[in-house]
Every structure is written in structure tokens, then in C-alpha cells.
Amino acid sequence: MAGEKRNMVQVFGRKKTAVAVALVKGSGKGLIKVNGVPLELVNPEGLRVKAFEPILILGQERFAELDIRVRVNGGGYTSQIYAIRQAIAKGIIAYYQKYVDEATKQELKEMLLSYDRSLLVADPRRCEPKQFGGSGARARYQKSYR
């Protein structure tokens, strides 16, 4: 493997505190793995369809020669799934921009954005820290006159 150079890009997806890093490699077999586990076996089962959304929108044939390996940590189950789907979507766009052509990349980007903007754009909302004078970020302790 010293002489040959494989086409690859590395991108990340974020949701709350979950971060997913996707490594998209060209000339592969169409494998998509998350932390070493195939995407078909990702838990929770109810959110598995969310992780498959970029593949279902763009079509299986676009992923046929690409190997995608995703590392995800932080956050909860749901945040991790959303970070995974964003990393996969951003990864395929970055790969097409770098190694295929700009027109195809723009077409894919339009398809993803028309379905759901969060597939390519991170959600900036974060949890607000607790402040004094109350039990939470916004809630205040009850006022008493007597």
C-alpha cells in the first residue's frame, strides 16, 4: 500500500455534544460501518432509518464504490444518530467535490437540502448552564412574602 494512493476525505457531523467523524474512501465495496459495526445493526432500532436517510435520498448506487467508516462519541443515542447521518451526508458531498465533479456535487447537495437542512448544516443549539437563584437555566425559586 506504499505506492498506491486511495481517494479519501474525512468530515465530521455534530449534534449537541455528540461528534461523528466519517472517513470516506473511494474504490471500496460499499461498506458503511459505525464504530466497527455495520450501519444495519446500529441501535436504537427505531432511529436506524434516520441513519439511513442520506443513502435512501441519494440512492444506493452512489455508495456502491465507497467505504465509509464512522467513529462517534459523546451525547446520547438520538444525538449520536443525528451526528452519524450528518457525517455520512457531508462525507459524500466532500468526496464528490474533491474527486468527482462540481455539477454532480451541487445536484446531490440540492437533493439533501431539499429533504432536510440538518443533513448538511449543524444545529447550533446547546444546553444552557444552570444559574444561581433557581433550579435550572431559566426557572427561578418560588417567591414567598411571609
Side-chain angles (χ1 to χ4, degrees):
M1 206 172 165
E4 66 182 78
K5 182 138 168 60
R6 280 180 89 183
N7 297 342
M8 65 183 225
V9 291
Q10 189 172 4
V11 291
F12 64 89
R14 281 198 179 128
K15 175 72 173 166
K16 292 186 180 176
T17 56
V19 179
V21 180
L23 194 66
V24 182
K25 295 180 183 176
S27 64
K29 301 183 188 86
L31 292 172
I32 301 175
K33 289 196 170 188
V34 177
N35 290 346
V37 179
L39 192 62
E40 298 85 45
L41 303 176
V42 169
N43 284 327
E45 208 172 314
L47 288 170
R48 203 173 288 163
V49 175
K50 277 284 181 199
F52 270 105
E53 277 179 356
I55 299 152
L56 297 173
I57 295 164
L58 301 175
Q60 191 75 45
E61 67 279 352
R62 297 201 199 271
F63 292 85
E65 295 102 42
L66 299 177
D67 283 351
I68 303 175
R69 301 200 184 284
V70 184
R71 296 187 318 271
V72 63
N73 58 1
Y77 296 127
T78 307
S79 294
Q80 284 191 353
I81 292 286
Y82 277 86
I84 288 166
R85 78 198 273 260
Q86 190 180 76
I88 292 171
K90 282 170 76 174
I92 191 123
I93 294 295
Y95 184 86
Y96 269 73
Q97 181 176 14
K98 195 169 181 183
Y99 299 112
V100 190
D101 63 329
E102 190 68 27
T104 314
K105 178 218 116 176
Q106 206 58 40
E107 181 187 316
L108 297 180
K109 197 171 177 179
E110 292 299 322
M111 287 167 70
L112 290 170
L113 285 173
S114 66
Y115 179 78
D116 186 2
R117 191 166 183 265
S118 69
L119 279 166
L120 296 176
V121 182
D123 188 352
R125 295 177 295 175
R126 296 289 177 264
C127 187
E128 201 175 326
K130 180 198 177 300
Q131 278 117 29
F132 61 87
S135 57
R138 297 292 171 108
R140 299 292 109 212
Y141 293 132
Q142 191 169 338
K143 191 172 178 184
S144 168
Y145 289 102
R146 248 163 244 211

